[in-house]
Amino acid sequence: MSTDETTQASAAQQSEASPGIIFEGVVKRFGDHTVLNELNFHVGKGERVTLIGPSGSGKTTILRLLMTLEHLTGGYIYVDGEPLTHKKENGKRVELRAKQVAQTRKRIGMVFQQFNLFPNMSVMENIIEAPIHVLGKSKEEARGRAQQLLDQVGLGDRGDAHPTQLSGGQQQRVAIARALAMDPEIILLDEVTSALDPELVGDVLNVLRDLAATTDITMLIVTHEMQFAQDVSDRVLMFDGGKIIEDAKPDVMFSNPSNERTKEFLRAVL
Amino acid sequence: MLAAIFDWNLAVEAFPQLLVAFLKVTLLVTVVASLLSIILGLVWAIGLRQLPAWLGWPLRLFLDFVRMTPIPVQLLFVFYGVVVFRPRVDALIIGVIVFGVHYSTYMAESYRAGIESIRSGQWEAATALSLPATRTWRAVILPQAIRNTLPSLGNWTIAMFKDTPYLIFIHVAEMVTRAREFGGMKFSYIESFTIAGLIFLAASYPTAVLMRKLEKKLEY
């Protein structure tokens, strides 16, 4: 146990804020293909971190590991100091039970590229489903909060609509409201504007800018919207081949990167 | 001309007997066995997906075995197997159970296809919201999967309807058997079989309409 604490403490010292998320020696393989190899990084509580890099560099895998959508091949992930899926016990790596995993996972919300709203439910039902059945809120309480969130994302009058009746941008804003309804400490944004028509991107990004400005929620962002990344991020991590090759504040990363690969990548996307 | 080959009097005579046989056997077995197979099929389909491998493969084996052996053989096996222990068993109950289990294995395949048609994003969204497995199935997956499965379940029910004459293997005379007996007695089969066919049609048609209504209701 003492080794756990010292590792976490040392990781915490590296971070300016207290550690919200720690990746420690994280390995992810799909069959023979290694996506992440011995990855270490941390995200402070309330920090907004954007992951950039060429496709296949492992950015999305990081979010999916945090959301427990992928099985962790090796290493450890800590959320608020709690092990997420695996813990160290007497020097051994032990997988946690599903119940324990669920307990920590509740602190994390995710918004997907393809929205993934439940098509058989109305907008309101989509948002109140988990607060009622996971957090144990009453229907009235959940509805009240959902209405607040719908107002916040500019869809206050669409609660009774079904997802298929909404535009992509509207669906994505509902998905953001659905994730926020769980009051997560951490929100993962996985290319949330990539599936949208260009004219719908602005509304979604504005909702997220607003969220960044008005809350202290920790954000982990994978995006190709570099202006948005620059506006909301505290830190930008450049990934290549499953490794962090540059870690810098957004103004430095986008105007004066030090790594050659980063320069090349940014020239291609900006 | 028609009168020469089709005797209306015989048809009128056959009708009440056949209708009684239909209601007391064919319809009863089909309705109860359908309900049984609709529920069991769903249980199998969820089991195949949720159970650990060591429980999953014996289930798979059992389902394949039932699906790949003919109904008459199953009727005979189960009937004579049970009769050894309970000589006074009601053959109709055996019929319902065999038909229910047999068709549940087909329905399980239909459910499975419906479940597999749900995009992985739906499962992932449920995980991201930490929905428990039971809630994920009940609120997210099944409402979408069953909507895709319904037409196929309706077809299996109609197929079961038409398999009920096999009940004669365990000495249960349903409508088609009665029609044959009636025809044998009167030396003319066409009347009783025509009536039997019309009764089938009259019962199947509302079933099909009902299924279509149900599909509409599940639309979103």
Side-chain angles (χ1 to χ4, degrees):
Chain A
M1 283 310 265
S2 62
T3 48
D4 284 13
E5 280 155 21
T6 45
T7 330
Q8 285 170 37
S10 62
Q13 279 158 15
Q14 294 164 20
S15 173
E16 288 164 27
S18 60
I21 305 164
I22 300 172
F23 271 56
E24 190 188 305
V26 164
V27 178
K28 177 60 192 172
R29 276 191 284 270
F30 293 99
D32 292 338
H33 179 57
T34 303
V35 180
L36 303 174
N37 197 7
E38 292 288 326
L39 179 70
N40 295 294
F41 79 97
H42 57 268
V43 174
K45 225 174 188 172
E47 207 179 7
R48 281 72 198 255
V49 174
T50 299
L51 316 180
I52 62 169
S55 66
S57 59
K59 304 163 301 202
T60 289
T61 304
I62 288 168
L63 301 195
R64 293 176 60 83
L65 283 170
L66 260 168
M67 200 67 258
T68 71
L69 300 175
E70 302 288 353
H71 189 258
L72 190 59
T73 315
Y76 305 86
I77 298 174
Y78 299 92
V79 173
D80 268 344
E82 303 280 340
L84 180 64
T85 56
H86 295 77
K87 65 173 177 182
K88 283 176 207 159
E89 209 172 69
N90 306 323
K92 276 196 188 136
R93 185 166 175 269
V94 182
E95 184 152 8
L96 298 177
R97 289 159 179 271
K99 269 216 170 114
Q100 293 170 285
V101 174
Q103 214 51 41
T104 316
R105 184 176 50 209
K106 270 190 236 171
R107 303 175 181 187
I108 309 171
M110 184 163 183
V111 183
F112 299 88
Q113 185 176 353
Q114 298 294 343
F115 334 133
N116 295 345
L117 293 177
F118 304 134
N120 55 317
M121 299 182 193
S122 71
V123 164
M124 179 58 82
E125 287 165 343
N126 262 279
I127 301 174
I128 63 175
E129 174 66 28
I132 291 175
H133 293 279
V134 179
L135 302 182
K137 285 191 182 180
S138 73
K139 205 167 176 183
E140 293 70 44
E141 196 187 354
R143 280 183 156 268
R145 173 81 175 123
Q147 191 54 53
Q148 227 175 14
L149 288 165
L150 279 176
D151 290 336
Q152 191 183 326
V153 301
L155 295 168
D157 56 343
R158 303 311 304 271
D160 293 329
H162 271 256
T164 47
Q165 296 165 327
L166 303 180
S167 73
Q170 290 172 327
Q171 288 189 50
Q172 194 59 297
R173 284 184 278 154
V174 173
I176 293 168
R178 181 174 72 171
L180 292 176
M182 290 294 285
D183 294 318
E185 295 164 32
I186 299 165
I187 194 159
L188 311 174
L189 305 170
D190 184 17
E191 304 199 24
V192 295
T193 56
S194 298
L196 298 179
D197 290 336
E199 75 270 22
L200 303 176
V201 170
D203 284 341
V204 171
L205 292 185
N206 285 338
V207 164
L208 294 174
R209 280 198 176 90
D210 192 47
L211 182 68
T214 56
T215 66
D216 55 2
I217 199 165
T218 307
M219 291 174 138
L220 213 56
I221 306 162
V222 172
T223 185
H224 296 120
E225 298 287 336
M226 293 303 164
Q227 188 57 53
F228 170 71
Q230 186 158 5
D231 294 348
V232 301
S233 309
D234 299 312
R235 202 147 59 97
V236 180
L237 304 180
M238 168 73 193
F239 278 81
D240 194 26
K243 289 200 183 71
I244 298 170
I245 58 168
E246 190 158 357
D247 176 349
K249 296 220 171 284
D251 46 339
V252 177
M253 182 70 89
F254 291 114
S255 59
N256 193 17
S258 53
N259 188 293
E260 269 316 305
R261 272 296 284 146
T262 312
K263 284 180 192 167
E264 211 179 300
F265 173 74
L266 288 174
R267 257 200 307 277
V269 297
L270 284 179
Chain B
M1 215 86 73
L2 186 66
I5 52 165
F6 193 93
D7 184 341
W8 285 97
N9 291 329
L10 273 185
V12 170
E13 197 187 329
F15 179 73
Q17 303 176 26
L18 295 184
L19 187 65
V20 168
F22 175 78
L23 295 175
K24 279 175 118 172
V25 182
T26 311
L27 194 64
L28 182 77
V29 170
T30 309
V31 169
V32 181
S34 298
L35 290 176
L36 186 64
S37 59
I38 284 169
I39 295 164
L40 274 182
L42 185 59
V43 172
W44 304 146
I46 295 175
L48 285 175
R49 200 162 170 132
Q50 290 289 98
L51 288 177
W54 62 274
L55 278 172
W57 78 258
L59 176 61
R60 172 92 270 165
L61 205 70
F62 166 75
L63 295 179
D64 282 346
F65 176 78
V66 174
R67 205 154 41 95
M68 288 168 190
T69 46
I71 280 198
V73 175
Q74 287 171 13
L75 283 170
L76 286 170
F77 252 80
V78 177
F79 181 66
Y80 288 109
V82 173
V83 159
V84 172
F85 300 103
R86 301 193 59 169
R88 301 180 64 86
V89 68
D90 188 346
L92 205 59
I93 293 174
I94 303 285
V96 166
I97 292 171
V98 169
F99 271 94
V101 171
H102 185 86
Y103 273 92
S104 75
T105 63
Y106 287 98
M107 290 195 186
E109 288 299 306
S110 298
Y111 280 120
R112 197 170 63 96
I115 291 164
E116 278 171 12
S117 72
I118 307 299
R119 282 185 302 146
S120 59
Q122 294 290 304
W123 293 97
E124 292 178 356
T127 304
L129 293 168
S130 288
L131 289 183
T134 46
R135 195 63 204 167
T136 302
W137 279 104
R138 234 188 71 191
V140 179
I141 303 301
L142 291 182
Q144 299 182 55
I146 288 179
R147 181 170 161 258
N148 297 344
T149 310
L150 214 54
S152 157
L153 296 188
N155 279 339
W156 290 128
T157 305
I158 290 169
M160 190 192 302
F161 223 158
K162 297 188 296 184
D163 270 356
T164 49
Y166 284 133
L167 285 168
I168 192 60
F169 280 85
I170 55 170
H171 317 295
V172 175
E174 51 56 77
M175 181 176 61
V176 175
T177 304
R178 289 271 182 244
R180 203 181 59 225
E181 287 170 2
F182 184 89
M185 255 165 10
K186 308 281 179 183
F187 304 108
S188 177
Y189 289 95
I190 189 162
E191 295 81 7
S192 56
F193 275 116
T194 305
I195 294 296
L198 288 174
I199 291 177
F200 260 126
L201 190 65
S204 300
Y205 187 71
T207 312
V209 172
L210 212 72
M211 289 306 268
R212 231 163 282 154
K213 274 222 168 113
L214 196 58
E215 272 170 55
K216 271 260 156 60
K217 222 187 133 194
L218 285 177
E219 250 168 45
Y220 38 77

